[in-house]
């Protein structure tokens, strides 16, 4: 178990924020004041990120268990995660008590991601320059309608560590499609709480049916800008007020 760095703000029902890969809890900063007026907001740096220690490995179940140990609350939390954090939020709910889950821009249908990661394996495991160029290109491909200056500001704050990324992506890099599918199916089947799957990039026309077939309590939303373009991979940062309002609305429906 890794002792994670956490920050607690506000009062009310517990709400946990989990960041994406190569990022840290500070990527939630614009949203926290909008949530802490009604919730106890616990922002977490995952193992190998921010101020938290490295792990011997980056097993997703173990990372979710880190979070459970770190948050220190008796009441089941609402767990909100972005990207990798969204996947971990689902894993958390499969393994620990939770009121609900909000998964921000992380489809659980991982087969396509696995194919892309395996194709890029020589770069991911290549030189530092190759790895960093691949990660920069990956995030660039997911910016949607995010203005260039905003995307550049996010890029300067990321810390792409090769050992951490390849460790987290080990199931994608080294596992078989069958093993990955079994993990997804097993995890999804264990989730019984409401799940809001909120996307700034279109997850595809079949994704809602795919997800609700596995998690019947799930709702899928795709957010666009005023011109109908994808908000991009960080919808919570593109529209923080809208996002915070949707989180509170979702929380109000939970038991």
């Amino acid at each position: 178990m890794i002792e994670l760095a956490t920050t607690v703000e506000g009062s009310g029902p517990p709400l946990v924020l989990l960041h994406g890969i190569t990022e840290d809890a500070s990527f939630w900063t614009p949203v926290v004041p909008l949530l802490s007026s009604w919730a106890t907001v616990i922002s977490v740096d995952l193992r190998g990120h921010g101020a938290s220690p490295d792990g011997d490995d980056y097993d997703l179940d173990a990372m979710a268990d880190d979070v459970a140990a770190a948050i220190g609350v008796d009441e089941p939390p609402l767990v909100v995660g972005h990207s990798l954090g969204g996947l971990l939020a689902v894993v958390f709910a499969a393994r620990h008590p939770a009121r609900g889950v909000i998964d921000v821009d992380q489809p659980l249908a991982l087969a396509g991601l696995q194919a892309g990661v395996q194709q890029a394996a020589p770069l991911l495991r290549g030189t530092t320059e190759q790895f960093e160029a691949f990660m920069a290109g990956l995030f660039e491909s997911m910016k949607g309608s995010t203005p260039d200056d905003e995307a550049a500001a996010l890029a300067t704050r990321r810390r792409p560590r090769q050992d951490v990324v390849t460790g987290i992506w080990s199931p994608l890099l080294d596992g078989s499609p069958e093993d990955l599918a079994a993990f997804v199916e097993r995890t999804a089947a264990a989730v019984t709480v409401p799940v809001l799957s909120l996307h700034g990039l279109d997850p595809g026309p079949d994704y809602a049916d795919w997800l609700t077939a596995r998690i019947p309590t799930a709702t899928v939303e795709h957010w666009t800008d005023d011109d109908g373009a994808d908000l991009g991979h960080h919808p919570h940062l593109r529209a923080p007020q809208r996002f915070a309002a949707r989180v509170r609305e979702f929380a109000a429906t939970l038991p």
Side-chain angles (χ1 to χ4, degrees):
M1 196 78 66
I2 301 297
E3 186 173 344
L4 303 181
T6 62
T7 303
V8 181
E9 299 183 47
S11 61
L15 189 158
V16 178
L17 297 176
L18 306 179
H19 60 80
I21 199 166
T22 76
E23 301 180 355
D24 58 44
S26 72
F27 279 69
W28 290 105
T29 296
V31 176
V32 170
L34 306 175
L35 301 174
S36 59
S37 61
W38 60 270
T40 299
V41 180
I42 307 164
S43 304
V44 176
D45 282 344
L46 302 172
R47 62 169 67 180
H49 293 77
S52 289
D54 296 345
D56 293 332
D57 62 51
Y58 292 91
D59 175 78
L60 295 176
D61 288 342
M63 292 180 73
D65 293 348
D66 289 346
V67 174
I71 60 178
V73 295
D74 296 326
E75 181 182 349
L78 169 57
V79 187
V80 183
H82 167 246
S83 195
L84 165 65
L87 176 57
L88 285 175
V90 175
V91 175
F92 181 101
R95 297 176 63 82
H96 301 280
R99 288 183 68 210
V101 168
I102 300 180
D103 172 5
V104 183
D105 213 62
Q106 178 56 68
L108 299 186
L110 298 175
L113 177 61
Q114 182 180 42
V117 166
Q118 289 187 347
Q119 186 176 12
L123 301 178
L124 287 165
R125 288 177 164 153
T127 66
T128 299
E129 292 76 14
Q130 288 174 320
F131 167 76
E132 292 180 349
F134 172 80
M135 296 301 295
L138 176 65
F139 284 111
E140 176 69 18
S141 74
M142 296 191 294
K143 74 176 187 177
S145 62
T146 304
D148 290 344
D149 59 339
E150 292 182 24
L154 290 175
T156 62
R157 294 171 54 206
R158 292 193 184 97
R159 297 293 179 265
R161 288 182 48 190
Q162 194 167 14
D163 59 330
V164 175
V165 171
T166 56
I168 291 170
W169 282 355
S170 178
L172 304 175
L173 285 162
D174 304 319
S176 69
E178 293 77 19
D179 288 342
L180 186 64
F183 168 78
V184 170
E185 297 290 341
R186 178 176 69 252
T187 300
V191 177
T192 58
V193 297
V195 174
L196 173 60
S197 182
L198 192 161
H199 299 266
L201 297 169
D202 189 350
D206 301 324
Y207 182 65
D209 288 341
W210 182 93
L211 183 61
T212 55
R214 289 156 179 82
I215 305 179
T217 57
T219 300
V220 177
E221 297 181 8
H222 172 216
W223 286 11
T224 60
D225 65 15
D226 292 339
D227 297 320
D230 283 344
L231 282 183
H233 189 48
H234 294 76
H236 54 300
L237 300 182
R238 295 292 314 283
Q241 295 279 354
R242 179 185 177 188
F243 179 79
R246 186 67 181 98
V247 173
R248 187 167 192 175
E249 179 184 51
F250 179 75
T253 70
L254 301 176

